[in-house]
Amino acid sequence: MREKLEIGEAISDAVQHIRMSWKLLLINYLFMLGIGLITTAYTVSVFTGDIEALLYTGYKSPFELMIKSFLMILPFMIVIGLISVCIQAMYIKIIDDTIEKRQLSYKEQFVFVLRKLGKMIFAGVMVLIPVILMYLLMFRTITNMYYGSFAPFFLMLLIMLAYAMMLTFINQSIITEEVSAFQAIKNSFSVVSHNFFRLLFTFIGYGILTLIIGTILKDTSVVVVVIKAIIDAFLSLYAIVFITTLYKQVSKKPYQDNECELEYYEEN
């Protein structure tokens, strides 16, 4: 097993993987986009009516209005979050199949991802707990801040960013390997810890690229907005493909059409 990631190799390989599987990637994007638009349209209509009813019947305080509004929109936030997870997981599965040269239909890939969804959610909840605790510490630091005390806040911010980096490969591990949520988190930490600065500089470069594109395409005309949306969608796709390609470089047990994987499809 290789421990060091080859960034340059992954950059070129990711482009090749997108070229080989662009049809499935496009189908996934359009399918998930359609679900997202339908969900958004339905939620906005329902939410608008509920807010109007709440305003009409009255409320005791602005805080009560805020809480009730949040509870109204919470199901929508959960659905959108699940769609986002599915989009990323489907991209990972499509690229994993491309690398391993599996001939699977989109339906088979989608079923596979749905079976892994619970594990990804469980892993997400586990890694979210430390984030919540760090946010609370940061909030307390801000409320108690006095002149010259910015250093603790800045330190906690760096810790949170480093922690986020350590979680980079969790979904890649869950989708491409038969591992538990705990093992997926451990795998991600292991890979990042051996390649921390390589990944750090790569992510900084990606951030600078997106910033430059945003600066160039800052016009609000319809044409520019559409172009920027297309570029942003491609960059998001490329980032997932790139990260998946990186993980496959060091994956201990890449799938090779073994029995563990085939059992997902035999039932269909």
Side-chain angles (χ1 to χ4, degrees):
M1 176 183 176
R2 288 162 50 186
E3 294 183 343
K4 295 300 179 182
L5 299 173
E6 297 296 334
I7 304 298
E9 178 182 320
I11 290 175
S12 60
D13 287 349
V15 175
Q16 183 65 21
H17 297 332
I18 292 175
R19 288 179 56 191
M20 294 174 62
S21 56
W22 68 270
K23 290 183 180 179
L24 283 173
L25 294 172
L26 181 61
I27 290 173
N28 181 58
Y29 175 76
L30 294 177
F31 177 65
M32 295 297 179
L33 179 63
I35 295 177
L37 290 176
I38 293 172
T39 303
T40 302
Y42 174 78
T43 304
V44 169
S45 62
V46 173
F47 181 70
T48 302
D50 288 343
I51 287 295
E52 289 177 351
L54 181 60
L55 293 174
Y56 180 77
T57 56
Y59 52 91
K60 296 180 181 179
S61 66
F63 180 75
E64 180 185 355
L65 175 63
M66 181 182 69
I67 294 298
K68 289 185 176 180
S69 299
F70 174 76
L71 293 177
M72 289 176 186
I73 203 173
L74 182 60
F76 166 72
M77 295 170 61
I78 293 174
V79 171
I80 292 299
L82 290 176
I83 292 174
S84 299
V85 172
C86 285
I87 290 176
Q88 184 190 82
M90 280 299 298
Y91 284 154
I92 295 170
K93 178 58 179 169
I94 290 170
I95 296 305
D96 183 43
D97 288 344
T98 299
I99 294 173
E100 298 296 334
K101 296 180 172 57
R102 302 190 199 94
Q103 300 296 324
L104 300 179
S105 67
Y106 182 81
K107 178 182 177 181
E108 290 172 321
Q109 293 171 330
F110 189 70
V111 170
F112 181 92
V113 166
L114 288 182
R115 292 178 180 275
K116 296 276 191 173
L117 186 59
K119 194 177 293 186
M120 288 187 291
I121 293 174
F122 182 58
V125 171
M126 285 194 296
V127 299
L128 186 62
I129 294 175
V131 173
I132 295 175
L133 294 177
M134 283 187 282
Y135 265 120
L136 292 175
L137 287 174
M138 289 180 66
F139 178 77
R140 182 173 180 179
T141 302
I142 293 174
T143 55
N144 296 330
M145 188 175 292
Y146 56 88
Y147 181 77
S149 67
F150 182 73
F153 171 79
F154 185 69
L155 178 61
M156 281 188 288
L157 180 61
L158 291 179
I159 293 174
M160 287 187 64
L161 292 175
Y163 177 72
M165 269 190 58
M166 303 302 288
L167 309 177
T168 299
F169 299 103
I170 291 179
N171 286 344
Q172 275 73 15
S173 181
I174 290 175
I175 295 297
T176 65
E177 301 174 299
E178 193 60 36
V179 296
S180 66
F182 291 101
Q183 186 61 45
I185 295 172
K186 181 179 177 181
N187 289 347
S188 182
F189 269 71
S190 176
V191 174
V192 176
S193 63
H194 286 95
N195 300 273
F196 186 84
F197 289 103
R198 293 186 182 201
L199 291 171
L200 176 63
F201 293 132
T202 301
F203 293 155
I204 290 175
Y206 179 83
I208 292 174
L209 176 62
T210 56
L211 182 62
I212 292 173
I213 293 175
T215 302
I216 295 174
L217 302 176
K218 61 181 179 180
D219 191 359
T220 56
S221 64
V222 176
V223 175
V224 174
V225 170
V226 171
I227 292 174
K228 187 176 185 300
I230 294 174
I231 293 176
D232 288 343
F234 177 78
L235 288 177
S236 298
L237 164 64
Y238 182 82
I240 298 172
V241 175
F242 172 72
I243 291 172
T244 303
T245 304
L246 281 176
Y247 188 75
K248 292 294 291 183
Q249 290 182 353
V250 296
S251 178
K252 287 184 177 180
K253 296 179 181 179
Y255 282 133
Q256 295 180 353
D257 296 327
N258 53 36
E259 295 179 357
C260 292
E261 184 187 25
L262 291 177
E263 68 180 5
Y264 284 94
Y265 310 109
E266 290 176 348
E267 299 177 4
N268 300 297

